[in-house]
């Protein structure tokens, strides 16, 4: 998936994103998130808003495995 693919699926939408941990080998995280504002240019990381924890997190684009 590219930055643009991910951005288009999350912008103003609530979705579950699954991504691989960079710190713990073979561990995946799933977060309910959105991109509420179009404030970021294309990058190797994407800034998303974690709806449950009410905080922003950045996720490395190459680690994202699924968006549902």
């Amino acid at each position: 998936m590219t930055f643009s693919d991910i951005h288009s699926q999350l912008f103003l939408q609530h979705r579950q994103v699954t991504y691989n941990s960079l710190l713990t080998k073979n561990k995946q995280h799933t977060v309910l998130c959105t991109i509420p504002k179009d404030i970021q240019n294309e990058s190797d990381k994407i800034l998303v808003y974690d709806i449950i924890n009410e905080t922003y997190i950045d996720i490395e684009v190459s680690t994202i495995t699924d968006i549902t």
Side-chain angles (χ1 to χ4, degrees), residues 2-8 10 17 35 40-41 43-48 57-61 64:
T2 66
F3 178 93
S4 297
D5 296 334
I6 297 164
H7 185 276
S8 67
L10 295 177
V17 174
I35 298 175
Q40 187 180 7
N41 293 324
S43 172
D44 60 338
K45 293 189 178 187
I46 192 157
L47 185 65
V48 300
I57 58 173
D58 63 331
I59 303 172
E60 191 166 313
V61 170
I64 296 176

Side-chain angles (χ1 to χ4, degrees), residues 24-36:
T24 308
K25 188 176 180 180
N26 297 326
K27 181 163 183 164
Q28 287 192 323
H29 301 279
T30 301
V31 61
L32 179 63
C33 60
T34 187
I35 298 175

